[in-house]
Amino acid sequence: MTAMETDGQATSAKLTRRAAAAAAIGALAAPSVLHAQGAGRPIKIGFVNPRTGPLAAFGEADAFVQEGLARALSGGIRIAGRTHPVQILARDSQSSPSRAAEVASELILRDKVDLITATSAPETVNPVADQAEVNEVPCLTTNCPWQPYFFGRRGDPAKGFDWTYHFFWGLEDVIAAFTDLWSKTETNKVVGALFPNDADGNAWGDARLGLPPALAGKGYRLIDTGRYQPGANDFSAQISAFKAAGVQIVTGVMPPPDFATFWTQAGQQDFRPKIATIGKALLFPSAVSSLGERGLGLTTEIWWSPHHPFRSSLTNQTAAEVCAAYTQSTGKLWTQPIGYQHALFEVAVDVLKRTTALEPEAIIRAIRSTDLRTIAGPVKWGSGPVKNVAKTPLVAGQWRRAGGNSLDLVVLANPGSAEIPVGSTLEPLG
């Protein structure tokens, strides 16, 4: 398959890969394993993430990651002298919090999963974690800044949660990476903010814990016109306010379709900032390539890339090797959620291998004592900002042309993460 495939070919190939992944995952619980000497009952791991809806780009690499996991786990997991086959029960949150809660409840109450996992923004992560907490089922999550995860669920830092554990970076890391990136070219330090009225937008725009006080402390003037409704089709008010204030930097956290609407209207209304650094929307090559030439030079946070110097504890592959394998398998450029989805199951498998029994309390004890180097970086609870959070590295970079029609996301800023090398300097938008 190549990047030039037709829509029909792409659809056919996508369906073939999904079928292969489903078959491979189903094979993890094959009868031949169940009847082997010393075999135990199947371990059930629930997995919820968005494969459709506005956040579907987060699930674009699902089939690829699940196929790799099927191979890595084909021999099962050995616990207390018994080898247990593994079943991964994957469900689509449809980018909807209510749907995420519904499928999580089904996995817990109907399918009786031993462990539930979730990824990709508060819209999926938070409702899944809430269902796990109320039903006392061990839960691992990632791909959501820790503040929207923890405070978005009304977490109390003095108490934390009992059943739900999360690993990712936080808004303090975004602020450090973004401001380090912006410092690499001269601007008037006037920043226009785009925060939707959702869990991410409310956390990023929070007057006490979000970007506003941190940017003010670094000498930036923030132009915040208030929370816009997700799915908005008119950003004229924001663009007018930004132009009137002389905004040279635009930042925020937006679903890809929202930023595409804003950026198109910004061009139509002749608003041309020097820098546009947007969380969430600009993570994915598909979203950036859809913007055409106006996608080049945009900047974003980088959770994971082929430049990250980490290996998988499951397959021993480097980040670069996994990215190359994805491109070879799909004909597409690597995408950031690959690394964290893979790491999520690295942690899950490590936890299950260390547990003394397939019981919720034993699994939770194993989660709490985790100290693992994953393909996304080290994961260790106990030293995080709150009880239930383990921090991972974050850097920032810029989308560039890599030859032909291909794109590359180049690391430009790595404050606090010197092990991830910087590849170039910032080029202001034309």
Side-chain angles (χ1 to χ4, degrees), residues 366-379:
I367 290 175
R368 290 171 183 157
S369 61
T370 295
D371 185 359
L372 182 69
R373 288 190 67 84
T374 75
I375 202 164
V379 176

Side-chain angles (χ1 to χ4, degrees), residues 45 69 77 115 117 139-142 165-167 312-314 339-355 363 366-381 390 392:
I45 303 175
L69 291 170
I77 295 176
L115 172 68
T117 64
C139 177
L140 293 170
T141 53
T142 190
Y165 286 78
H166 186 76
F167 64 95
S312 165
S313 62
L314 279 176
Y340 272 86
Q341 191 181 127
H342 187 101
L344 180 66
F345 285 94
E346 286 185 71
V347 175
V349 170
D350 175 69
V351 164
L352 291 166
K353 285 181 175 179
R354 290 185 292 103
T355 192
I363 294 172
I367 290 175
R368 290 171 183 157
S369 61
T370 295
D371 185 359
L372 182 69
R373 288 190 67 84
T374 75
I375 202 164
V379 176
K380 181 179 181 179
W381 283 280
T392 50

Side-chain angles (χ1 to χ4, degrees), residues 53-58 228 253-263 278-284 286-288 290-291:
L55 302 178
F58 281 94
Y228 76 85
V253 55
M254 308 174 77
D258 290 3
F259 178 76
T261 300
F262 166 79
W263 200 232
I278 305 294
K280 189 185 288 186
L282 301 180
L283 297 172
F284 312 106
S286 57
V288 175
S290 71
L291 300 172

Side-chain angles (χ1 to χ4, degrees), residues 14 17-18 49-51 55-65 284-287 326 330 332-335 337-338 341:
K14 190 181 296 182
R17 290 196 298 272
R18 286 178 179 170
N49 80 327
R51 296 198 298 273
L55 302 178
F58 281 94
E60 182 180 355
D62 272 11
F64 170 79
V65 175
F284 312 106
S286 57
Y326 178 72
T330 66
K332 298 178 181 179
L333 186 64
W334 59 273
T335 182
I338 293 172
Q341 191 181 127

Side-chain angles (χ1 to χ4, degrees), residues 143-410:
N143 284 16
C144 170
W146 73 261
Q147 288 93 339
Y149 161 82
F150 190 83
F151 295 114
R153 299 176 55 219
R154 298 185 176 140
D156 180 349
K159 297 178 180 178
F161 299 103
D162 294 324
W163 297 94
T164 52
Y165 286 78
H166 186 76
F167 64 95
F168 210 53
W169 40 264
L171 298 184
E172 68 278 18
D173 305 303
V174 167
I175 293 160
F178 283 11
T179 55
D180 187 71
L181 181 75
W182 300 341
S183 72
K184 300 181 186 302
T185 195
E186 185 176 345
T187 70
N188 61 5
K189 303 186 86 170
V190 180
V191 182
L194 293 165
F195 299 133
N197 186 22
D198 62 16
D200 262 338
N202 290 328
W204 285 51
D206 188 270
R208 186 170 62 91
L209 299 173
L211 270 65
L215 294 184
K218 292 176 177 286
Y220 290 89
R221 178 186 170 210
L222 192 69
I223 308 303
D224 185 353
T225 60
R227 306 297 163 263
Y228 76 85
Q229 288 305 309
N233 57 18
D234 186 1
F235 288 91
S236 298
Q238 290 88 345
I239 293 168
S240 294
F242 295 168
K243 290 173 70 173
V247 163
Q248 292 187 344
I249 303 169
V250 173
T251 195
V253 55
M254 308 174 77
D258 290 3
F259 178 76
T261 300
F262 166 79
W263 200 232
T264 297
Q265 292 176 3
Q268 292 168 346
Q269 298 176 38
D270 200 32
F271 172 55
R272 305 186 185 279
K274 286 187 175 182
I275 304 171
T277 310
I278 305 294
K280 189 185 288 186
L282 301 180
L283 297 172
F284 312 106
S286 57
V288 175
S289 63
S290 71
L291 300 172
E293 289 298 313
R294 282 178 54 76
L296 297 175
L298 296 172
T299 49
T300 188
E301 80 270 26
I302 304 176
W303 331 331
W304 185 80
S305 76
H307 310 295
H308 282 53
F310 307 124
R311 286 183 179 270
S312 165
S313 62
L314 279 176
T315 67
N316 201 40
Q317 292 171 292
T318 65
E321 288 169 342
V322 171
C323 290
Y326 178 72
T327 298
Q328 183 177 10
S329 172
T330 66
K332 298 178 181 179
L333 186 64
W334 59 273
T335 182
Q336 297 193 45
I338 293 172
Y340 272 86
Q341 191 181 127
H342 187 101
L344 180 66
F345 285 94
E346 286 185 71
V347 175
V349 170
D350 175 69
V351 164
L352 291 166
K353 285 181 175 179
R354 290 185 292 103
T355 192
T356 56
L358 272 180
E359 299 172 352
E361 293 80 5
I363 294 172
I364 280 294
R365 286 195 296 271
I367 290 175
R368 290 171 183 157
S369 61
T370 295
D371 185 359
L372 182 69
R373 288 190 67 84
T374 75
I375 202 164
V379 176
K380 181 179 181 179
W381 283 280
S383 59
V386 291
K387 168 187 170 184
N388 304 83
V389 170
K391 290 276 292 287
T392 50
L394 181 71
V395 294
Q398 185 170 43
W399 287 101
R400 304 272 181 82
R401 183 74 73 199
N405 291 322
S406 183
L407 292 169
D408 189 19
L409 183 54
V410 181

